[in-house]
């Protein structure tokens, strides 16, 4: 008797990955290919949809070859937030513009007269160059010959499912990244499309994550090595799929993913679209299960600051530097760090914001610097968590941490002590691809519900309970010192940014 497996795809900006797992989330096979992102001298970044498909198809074929004779019970795709423009033969008419390509800043700003607050209430995001509708507007304006040939605008996850099944559908969470998706109607916004001058007939129909898109065609089966007729289900945006794989499915649970940057995501029953939420630049859009929503904030430079410090000054390992930080008292002997090394995103967008170390003396040690970095990041995390709770009215009962930082017990305990909330660090391998596989399992009936999926896909976790005395000390420092730093430096940072932009004499 053959054993069935679930197949999850993660089409990322750096790598394409495919994993096969059983119903308990145990990996049976995996494969990866390097993403084909092309970087231009002017800072633009693009990818070829056809090469993307070739890379993903090769990953699927590798996995299928590792499991000969076994049956795939379902496939789903997680991807980054970019979209693809196709002609009537499903061939791309222009490279997909990567989400971090900011060539569309002026187009995003041009949405202001339409009403930033109105856009936010409909879509859950502020007009910004990451929104893929601005990429579509850019192509329409500057590459009209490509636009004239275009017949379909579809998210990358939907494009890959189209190549697998011949059916064009847009998973809800990917559709949210367009800034053209009405959150409450769970359909395209006629008003926003009309303002952009884009016909609704160009957009793929939205679909609930986990719902079946179609079945593997004979052509796709020949390329991937899977059986024709294998069911393909809707996936979602990579970080939302990764959150599902971590076990987060209900209000009160929060994800803290800390790598180079840090994302904080909490589940909601309804989108949070207040003016205050918009002003603090939170995203609040559709989630992948239970027809729920989420609110998300970000620290743009998090682990990246630690990496910068290690490479620039220390030449020590992460573990050695953390050991030195652990020898310093709370407050790092007066040394404090502001973490806006790549600008400020959440709590009020401020691209001119900069990082800073304050309170230095000749007695400041390397360990104090490192402790100040960790404490500064934890204070920023605390401010975002508090704002999320206040804006949503939801109490966060536990924070699940994933990413490189989750390996540091000292940092995890500090997160718990500063926030006053229990922290659970989980080692979830290939979370985005695994979350996609779990969505396929939901669609295929392998799991009876998201709750059943989470109960059956378990990973080891370490729990860190907050210490009341340490939390009190951190709050004292936060209120009397830390939260005053950003307002005190705001005008200085704006002036420095202006000076750097106008004076380049060396």
């Amino acid at each position: 008797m053959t054993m069935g497996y679930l197949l999850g795809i993660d089409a990322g900006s750096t790598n394409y990955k495919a994993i096969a797992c059983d119903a308990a989330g145990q990996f049976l096979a995996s494969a990866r290919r390097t993403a084909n992102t092309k970087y231009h001298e002017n800072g633009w970044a693009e990818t070829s949809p056809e090469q993307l498909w070739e890379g993903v198809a090769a990953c699927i074929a590798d996995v299928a070859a590792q499991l000969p004779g076994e049956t795939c019970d379902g496939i789903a795709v997680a991807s980054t937030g970019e979209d693809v423009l196709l002609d009537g033969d499903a061939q791309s008419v222009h490279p997909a513009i990567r989400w971090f390509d900011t060539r569309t800043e002026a187009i995003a700003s041009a949405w202001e007269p339409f009403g930033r607050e109105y856009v936010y209430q409909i879509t859950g995001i502020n007009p910004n160059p990451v929104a893929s509708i601005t990429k579509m507007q850019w192509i329409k304006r500057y590459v009209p010959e490509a636009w004239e040939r275009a017949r379909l605008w579809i998210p990358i996850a939907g494009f890959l499912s189209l190549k697998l099944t011949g059916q064009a559908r847009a998973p809800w969470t990917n559709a949210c990244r367009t800034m053209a998706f009405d959150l409450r109607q769970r359909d395209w916004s006629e008003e926003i499309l009309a303002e952009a001058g884009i016909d609704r007939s160009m957009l793929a129909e939205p679909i609930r994550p986990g719902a079946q898109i179609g079945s593997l065609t004979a052509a796709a089966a020949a390329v991937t090595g899977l059986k024709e007729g294998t069911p393909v289900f809707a996936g979602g945006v990579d970080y939302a799929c990764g959150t599902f794989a971590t076990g987060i499915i209900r209000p009160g649970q929060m994800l803290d993913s800390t790598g180079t940057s840090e994302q904080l995501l909490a589940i909601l029953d309804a989108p949070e679209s207040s003016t205050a939420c918009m002003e603090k630049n939170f995203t609040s859009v559709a989630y992948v299960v239970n027809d729920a929503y989420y609110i998300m904030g970000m620290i743009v430079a998090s682990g990246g600051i630690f990496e910068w410090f290690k490479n620039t000054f220390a030449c020590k390992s992460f573990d050695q530097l953390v050991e030195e930080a652990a020898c310093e008292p709370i407050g790092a002997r007066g040394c404090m760090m502001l973490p806006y090394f790549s600008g400020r995103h959440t709590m009020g967008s401020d691209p001119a914001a900069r990082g800073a170390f304050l309170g230095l003396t000749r007695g400041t040690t390397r360990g104090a610097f490192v402790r100040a970095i960790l404490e500064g990041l934890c204070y920023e995390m605390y401010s975002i968590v508090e704002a999320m709770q206040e804006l949503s009215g939801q109490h966060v009962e536990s924070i699940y941490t994933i990413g490189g930082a989750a390996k540091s017990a000292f940092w995890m305990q500090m997160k718990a002590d500063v926030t006053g909330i229990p922290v659970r660090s989980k080692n979830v391998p290939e979370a985005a691809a695994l979350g996609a596989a779990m969505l396929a399992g939901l669609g295929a009936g392998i799991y009876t519900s998201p709750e059943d999926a989470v109960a059956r896909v378990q990973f080891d976790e370490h729990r860190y309970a907050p210490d009341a005395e340490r939390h009190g000390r951190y709050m004292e420092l936060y209120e009397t010192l830390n939260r005053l730093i950003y307002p005190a430096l705001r005008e200085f940072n704006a002036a420095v940014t202006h000076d750097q932009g106008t004076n380049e004499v060396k």
Side-chain angles (χ1 to χ4, degrees):
M1 181 177 176
T2 59
M3 179 183 67
Y5 63 87
L6 299 169
L7 185 60
I9 310 299
D10 176 12
S13 301
T14 306
N15 293 292
Y16 310 136
K17 305 166 190 172
I19 64 103
C21 65
D22 62 17
Q26 297 302 304
F27 285 21
L28 307 172
S30 64
R32 72 168 57 204
R33 291 287 189 280
T34 302
N36 61 300
T37 302
K38 183 177 181 181
Y39 296 93
H40 300 274
E41 289 183 5
N42 58 3
W44 294 0
E46 299 174 334
T47 188
S48 158
E50 282 72 28
Q51 290 180 12
L52 190 158
W53 162 241
E54 289 172 9
V56 167
C59 287
I60 298 174
D62 281 357
V63 167
Q66 293 173 55
L67 299 168
E70 297 179 7
T71 301
C72 177
D73 291 328
I75 310 169
V77 181
S79 78
T80 47
E82 299 96 351
D83 289 22
V84 177
L85 267 181
L86 304 176
D87 63 17
D89 296 320
Q91 298 297 306
S92 65
V93 300
H94 191 276
I97 302 173
R98 284 297 190 191
W99 67 269
F100 47 83
D101 181 320
T102 57
R103 74 180 75 173
T104 58
E105 281 183 354
I107 289 174
S109 298
W111 279 90
E112 291 289 338
F114 180 75
R116 185 162 65 105
E117 190 167 353
Y118 191 48
V119 169
Y120 191 84
Q121 287 174 349
I122 295 171
T123 69
I125 60 176
N126 277 312
N128 69 89
V130 171
S132 57
I133 196 170
T134 67
K135 320 289 195 193
M136 299 302 114
Q137 290 178 282
W138 187 93
I139 295 170
K140 183 180 180 184
R141 180 180 302 177
Y142 296 109
V143 198
E145 64 276 13
W147 186 261
E148 287 172 10
R149 291 166 45 219
R151 296 293 179 271
L152 179 64
W153 166 18
I154 190 168
I156 279 179
F159 166 71
L160 292 171
S161 296
L162 171 64
K163 299 296 283 187
L164 291 167
T165 66
Q167 303 296 316
R169 305 301 293 272
W172 288 348
T173 58
N174 300 82
C176 287
R177 286 289 296 269
T178 64
M179 202 188 86
F181 191 67
D182 187 315
L183 289 173
R184 289 166 180 81
Q185 300 299 321
R186 296 186 187 267
D187 201 356
W188 301 114
S189 167
E190 299 285 1
E191 291 172 282
I192 288 177
L193 291 176
E195 177 68 15
I198 297 174
D199 196 290
R200 188 213 157 97
S201 65
M202 288 184 64
L203 282 89
E205 282 300 306
I207 186 170
R208 174 184 277 107
Q212 185 166 353
I213 292 175
S215 301
L216 208 66
T217 64
V223 173
T224 62
L226 296 175
K227 294 176 184 176
E228 181 181 354
T230 299
V232 178
F233 302 93
V237 168
D238 47 12
Y239 54 79
C241 290
T243 304
F244 178 37
T246 308
I248 297 176
I249 54 175
R250 59 180 175 79
Q253 297 176 319
M254 174 178 282
L255 178 79
D256 173 34
S257 176
T258 308
T260 301
S261 60
E262 186 167 351
Q263 288 79 36
L264 290 144
L265 185 156
I267 307 301
L268 304 175
D269 290 320
E272 176 50 59
S273 55
S274 66
T275 302
C277 199
M278 177 194 73
E279 293 294 344
K280 291 187 184 299
N281 203 30
F282 282 108
T283 294
S284 184
V285 293
Y287 189 45
V288 289
V289 293
N290 291 335
D291 288 2
Y293 298 83
Y294 65 85
I295 183 172
M296 186 175 76
M298 180 166 64
I299 306 172
V300 185
S302 181
I305 300 174
F306 202 107
E307 192 68 19
W308 161 81
F309 183 85
K310 180 171 70 73
N311 292 341
T312 306
F313 301 111
C315 299
K316 294 276 186 179
S317 73
F318 178 90
D319 291 340
Q320 287 173 305
L321 290 174
V322 170
E323 282 179 18
E324 292 180 15
C327 294
E328 298 291 330
I330 289 176
R333 304 183 195 277
C335 181
M336 287 200 163
M337 187 278 300
L338 195 66
Y340 305 133
F341 282 54
S342 299
R344 188 185 202 221
H345 180 79
T346 308
M347 303 306 292
S349 178
D350 182 3
R354 293 182 173 230
F357 285 95
L358 299 93
L360 309 184
T361 71
R362 291 173 64 185
T364 303
T365 64
R366 182 169 61 199
F369 271 108
V370 176
R371 177 140 198 156
I373 290 172
L374 297 177
E375 289 184 350
L377 290 168
C378 288
Y379 286 135
E380 188 70 7
M381 174 188 175
Y382 169 79
S383 70
I384 292 173
V385 171
E386 284 297 292
M388 280 183 169
Q389 293 187 112
E390 181 181 343
L391 289 166
S392 68
Q394 298 274 9
H395 172 68
V396 175
E397 61 190 42
S398 58
I399 299 173
Y400 291 75
T401 64
I402 61 173
K407 297 183 177 77
S408 170
F410 179 73
W411 196 350
M412 293 304 99
Q413 185 62 55
M414 185 185 288
K415 285 176 183 276
D417 291 342
V418 172
T419 61
I421 299 170
V423 165
R424 302 177 175 190
S425 70
K426 300 189 79 168
N427 181 24
V428 184
E430 304 297 358
L434 177 59
M438 291 166 67
L439 288 171
L442 276 174
I446 306 299
Y447 308 117
T448 58
S449 65
E451 290 73 17
D452 179 45
V454 166
R456 292 167 69 181
V457 179
Q458 291 285 333
F459 294 94
D460 291 339
E461 67 177 42
H462 294 280
R463 303 188 181 196
Y464 301 89
D467 179 275
E469 185 176 347
R470 289 196 293 264
H471 176 66
R473 175 61 177 150
Y474 280 124
M475 288 300 94
E476 180 185 350
L477 290 169
Y478 175 78
E479 292 293 338
T480 60
L481 295 174
N482 180 269
R483 70 184 187 89
L484 307 178
I485 299 172
Y486 171 70
L489 292 179
R490 189 169 185 176
E491 288 186 18
F492 170 81
N493 285 333
V496 169
T497 299
H498 175 75
D499 178 73
Q500 295 268 299
T502 56
N503 296 290
E504 298 184 354
V505 177
K506 293 185 179 178

